[in-house]
Amino acid sequence: MTIEVLRPGQLTTVQDLGRRGCQHEGVPESGSMDAYAARLANLLAGNDEGAALLEITLTGPTLRFTRAATVALGGADFGATLDGTLLAPWRSARVVAGATLELGAAHDGCRGYLAVGGGIDMPPVLGSRSTCLAAAFGGHHGRALRAGDVLALGAAPAEAPRRTLAAAVRPTYRDSIRIIPVPEMDWFDPDGRHALFAEPFTVTPRSDRMGYRLSGPRFAAGARAERPSSAVAMGTVQLPPNGEPIVLMADHQTTGGYPVLGHVASVDLGSVAQLRPGASLRFSPVSLDEAQRLYLERERALASLRRGLLQSP
Amino acid sequence: MGVTSPPVRFDPLGDCALVARLGERADDETFARVHALLSLLRGAHPAVRDVVAGFTTVTVHYEPAEVEETADLPHHTLARRLEALAPDALARPIASPRLVDIPVCYEGELAPDLDEVARHTGLDAREVVARHTGATYDVRMIGFLPGFPYLAGLDPRLATPRRDEPRARVPAGSVGIGGEQTGVYPLSSPGGWRLIGRTPLRLFDPERDPASVLAVGDRVRFRAIDRAAYERVASP
């Protein structure tokens, strides 16, 4: 009933939909960076959307299954092979006991999700199985996987239905990231405001699950932009004193005092999560109303997909 | 004591959070409003996932798909709902705060910057400790790290700037002064505050519920203990 880690990959962690309701204790939500891809992978594997799965970063792990299981891959394509045979993402597949699943380097994108029928099984900590790397708890001993680790699997039906995700409902990743501007943008110099949407940015190597640090046009915030620390959210774009914006991601600190340039629309957070160091991106403005309409639209699409899957024979 | 004040407005913070700004400065009056709203908003609506205090703000994280359907978008519907609740919360007397006692050993290698703080403030080390233990502090915010309390009430004479070079690793339990603030590192982490002592208490333990010993609105007193008492609690 286990998975053995033969090679861990660059940064492979156990995640679910995050540790909700603990930010008032200063605890980051964590959870899958590309949560939409993770939810889809779980549905394909016959799980609830919030089952614990593996988030895989840039270079994937090699895993051995000690029992038969249903698996599904989502997010970036790591050219996975199952006992040497190519295993395509966005469809469920049956793995026999003793099989080895090998993930290579991501072809494009940055993060992949491996869902296994029954989910990765471990006691939740503060209501979640997500790994909190900053405080070293949750997931598998609060850390990324290492060679020799053994992960338990939850109970799953012996034979889950085979499912393939139609191309039309697969996530599409954008390199134009939509930002909801904030009124405080008036505080920034006019050239900077123009540059935010006119010029490209590059993801620097100092980008991780806490935040994406971007290089490109630099911004100067006026003195008024300094403010007492206040809660921030995944997708908040902060401007630290060095002028390089940071997009806060799943492991972000719960509060911050830096000036804020805007907030990434939630439907585009998966696109940010799939940007790798060196990738370039642009920002475009979106209204809050439009961002929330897109959000609700996607939730409705996912709900009807879920119903369709449950009805399939 | 109730708080009289202008109406509360909830503004969007991205598409999954709303923020109420309750004052311009992080002073006692603003904090009374923050504290009054906090407890009411938790559980005020099924779409609310979390309510987080800032120095001058209260932020509500919510799930847009769980806001009831109206002709308006969720951010609008939820903001109007919460705004309607706010006046009652601000008019209600604030429950008397919990007083939390934190034992601290202000000695030797547990207090690596105590002499530096003494030099900077022109006080002797004993006087620094006396002033630090003599005050009662308000927990104004939890942030930066899980369970990290930002405390108001530091004796202004003890204010000392942060280190130019932050330490790569501040041990868990370290009590520090950073500018006009004091606080406790609940976990080992990098940090730039001046370390004047260490508590043997675990201020954050994810296996405990609640995980953080301190919550916004609590009052805190530090109590000096000697090295032997520290060791007894630290290694039970």
Side-chain angles (χ1 to χ4, degrees):
Chain A
M1 304 279 279
T2 61
I3 301 177
E4 292 170 22
V5 179
L6 305 182
R7 283 188 315 126
Q10 184 168 325
L11 180 79
T12 304
T13 56
V14 176
Q15 301 291 344
D16 56 17
L17 295 181
R19 195 161 274 111
R20 299 193 167 178
C22 295
Q23 291 196 65
H24 66 278
E25 294 190 285
V27 178
E29 280 206 336
S30 307
S32 296
M33 294 270 279
D34 182 355
Y36 187 63
R39 293 163 76 189
L40 290 169
N42 265 327
L43 288 175
L44 289 168
N47 293 338
D48 287 340
E49 287 165 42
L53 44 48
L54 295 183
E55 181 179 276
I56 293 150
T57 316
L58 287 171
T59 307
T62 303
L63 308 166
R64 184 160 55 216
F65 288 75
T66 66
R67 72 143 204 230
T70 301
V71 299
L73 289 160
D77 186 352
F78 285 74
T81 56
L82 188 59
D83 286 334
T85 307
L86 210 58
L87 185 67
W90 302 121
R91 49 177 287 241
S92 60
R94 196 71 187 155
V95 174
V96 298
T100 299
L101 177 63
E102 191 172 349
L103 288 90
H107 294 328
D108 55 10
C110 185
R111 290 180 169 82
Y113 295 89
L114 171 65
V116 184
I120 312 289
D121 191 27
M122 58 194 42
V125 181
L126 294 176
S128 166
R129 294 178 175 84
S130 288
T131 310
C132 179
L133 292 169
F137 70 86
H140 190 71
H141 304 300
R143 59 165 172 80
L145 298 186
R146 296 176 191 153
D149 284 344
V150 175
L151 302 171
L153 295 176
E159 195 67 46
R162 301 290 173 84
R163 291 160 171 170
T164 301
L165 195 66
V169 281
R170 291 180 195 177
T172 48
Y173 297 115
R174 310 160 51 94
D175 50 19
S176 170
I177 305 297
R178 289 166 291 196
I179 285 189
I180 306 160
V182 292
E184 293 87 340
M185 275 192 68
D186 296 346
W187 296 347
F188 298 91
D189 65 84
D191 288 351
R193 286 206 304 279
H194 176 74
L196 178 64
F197 297 123
E199 291 180 40
F201 290 86
T202 304
V203 177
T204 70
R206 290 167 301 118
S207 298
D208 56 20
R209 284 184 44 90
M210 287 181 73
Y212 271 55
R213 291 165 188 274
L214 307 178
S215 65
R218 284 174 185 252
F219 299 91
R224 286 179 60 213
E226 287 293 330
R227 54 183 199 144
S229 283
S230 182
V232 288
M234 184 170 175
T236 297
V237 186
Q238 289 184 329
L239 188 66
N242 72 4
E244 291 189 344
I246 305 175
V247 182
L248 298 183
M249 296 301 282
D251 284 353
H252 71 84
Q253 293 178 3
T254 55
T255 57
Y258 293 144
V260 170
L261 283 169
H263 303 273
V264 173
S266 290
V267 290
D268 285 355
L269 287 172
S271 295
V272 178
Q274 293 298 355
L275 294 168
R276 55 170 84 193
S280 84
L281 69 147
R282 283 174 182 277
F283 290 121
S284 61
V286 66
S287 70
L288 171 62
D289 284 4
E290 180 62 9
Q292 220 162 39
R293 268 194 287 273
L294 292 166
Y295 183 97
L296 294 176
E297 206 172 279
R298 196 177 69 174
E299 288 304 306
R300 276 194 289 269
L302 195 64
S304 67
L305 182 72
R306 200 185 303 131
R307 281 194 300 275
L309 287 175
L310 291 175
Q311 281 159 9
S312 66
Chain B
M1 167 199 75
V3 187
T4 53
S5 39
V8 171
R9 201 183 73 207
F10 281 88
D11 294 321
L13 183 96
D15 55 16
C16 293
L18 294 166
V19 58
R21 293 183 173 81
L22 298 165
E24 289 299 312
R25 289 195 317 277
D27 53 20
D28 289 350
E29 195 186 322
T30 302
F31 177 64
R33 289 157 60 77
V34 168
H35 190 199
L37 264 193
L38 265 188
S39 44
L40 173 101
L41 291 175
R42 222 161 262 149
H45 190 283
V48 171
R49 278 172 25 191
D50 212 340
V51 186
V52 182
F55 285 122
T56 60
T57 59
V58 172
T59 299
V60 173
H61 296 279
Y62 69 99
E63 171 51 59
E66 284 172 26
V67 176
E68 65 272 26
E69 279 191 48
T70 68
D72 292 317
L73 283 161
H75 69 87
H76 192 266
T77 305
L78 186 63
R80 299 300 91 79
R81 287 266 175 160
L82 299 181
E83 284 162 4
L85 292 171
D88 268 1
L90 295 182
R92 202 173 298 175
I94 297 167
S96 27
R98 207 166 56 113
L99 184 63
V100 182
D101 172 90
I102 298 182
V104 177
C105 179
Y106 295 89
E107 295 173 15
E109 81 268 18
L110 301 184
D113 298 332
L114 183 59
D115 289 341
E116 182 60 37
V117 170
R119 247 195 313 278
H120 178 83
T121 57
L123 303 166
D124 71 22
R126 256 182 327 189
E127 183 64 17
V128 170
V129 174
R131 285 172 184 257
H132 197 255
T133 53
T136 306
Y137 304 89
D138 285 318
V139 180
R140 289 261 166 106
M141 191 173 82
I142 305 275
F144 168 56
L145 285 174
F148 186 98
Y150 287 84
L151 301 173
L154 182 71
D155 185 326
R157 278 297 304 277
L158 297 184
T160 310
R162 289 152 217 241
R163 290 161 57 95
D164 290 336
E165 277 295 308
R167 288 185 169 86
R169 185 180 172 280
V170 172
S174 295
V175 175
I177 289 175
E180 291 166 4
Q181 300 187 88
T182 186
V184 187
Y185 289 82
L187 304 164
S188 299
S189 91
W193 287 19
R194 309 278 179 176
L195 309 182
I196 60 166
R198 202 184 299 175
T199 176
L201 295 188
R202 291 194 65 183
L203 287 192
F204 180 82
D205 179 353
E207 303 291 345
R208 209 168 46 197
D209 185 21
S212 172
V213 166
L214 297 173
V216 171
D218 286 345
R219 308 208 81 198
V220 169
R221 282 189 79 95
F222 295 109
R223 175 169 52 88
I225 57 171
D226 62 17
R227 187 62 192 254
Y230 174 89
E231 297 297 345
R232 272 197 304 279
V233 183
S235 45

